[in-house]
Amino acid sequence: QVQLVESGGGLVQAGDSLRVSCAASGRTSSSYTMAWFRQAPGKQRTFVAAIARGDGRTYYGDSVKGRFTISGDNAKSTIYLQMNNLKPEDTAVYSCAAGLKGIGEVLKTPRFYQSWGQGIQVTVSS
């Protein structure tokens, strides 16, 4: 089992930047793919970004392309999500997820992932 702990959330203004982190512990060998999802109040969980820790391949949701960057530090078993030019519609609980090896669109679906963090709040004021 993999344990995931997110950090770095908070309240920012529109146009600001914020970096959130997700540290994995435990059976990190089963966290080949790591991702961020978000869920706003009253809405479904949506895909934000994913990274394959083996080759560094990245994937992004359409609404964050060009603004968000996912990266990883394999030595620390940690991934990061750098969020730039934040908008009020980015307000949500951001959750980290870990899963096995995969490619393509399946990585953008919550069911692909076996482990989840508790989530952190990111609030963007207008």
Side-chain angles (χ1 to χ4, degrees):
Q1 189 72 3
V2 177
Q3 291 78 46
L4 303 173
V5 178
E6 302 99 335
S7 61
L11 171 64
V12 297
Q13 293 186 331
D16 284 352
S17 297
L18 189 68
R19 190 179 81 160
V20 293
S21 304
C22 173
S25 61
R27 195 173 180 178
T28 56
S29 60
S30 60
S31 59
Y32 186 90
T33 306
M34 295 185 70
W36 289 96
F37 286 79
R38 68 186 183 185
Q39 187 168 19
K43 297 187 177 180
Q44 289 188 331
R45 179 178 287 175
T46 59
F47 172 75
V48 177
I51 184 168
R53 296 176 63 197
D55 59 13
R57 187 174 302 183
T58 58
Y59 305 80
Y60 293 95
D62 290 340
S63 63
V64 306
K65 283 180 181 177
R67 299 189 299 123
F68 291 11
T69 302
I70 189 170
S71 61
D73 184 337
N74 286 339
K76 296 181 179 180
S77 296
T78 299
I79 63 168
Y80 306 94
L81 184 67
Q82 176 67 42
M83 303 181 286
N84 297 329
N85 190 22
L86 282 160
K87 304 176 181 180
E89 51 264 42
D90 294 318
T91 295
V93 173
Y94 284 70
S95 297
C96 177
L100 299 175
K101 190 173 184 178
I103 58 173
E105 293 299 305
V106 69
L107 300 185
K108 300 180 180 180
T109 60
R111 68 177 185 272
F112 176 80
Y113 298 90
Q114 293 80 45
S115 300
W116 291 83
Q118 293 290 330
I120 52 172
Q121 179 68 45
V122 173
T123 303
V124 184
S125 64
S126 57

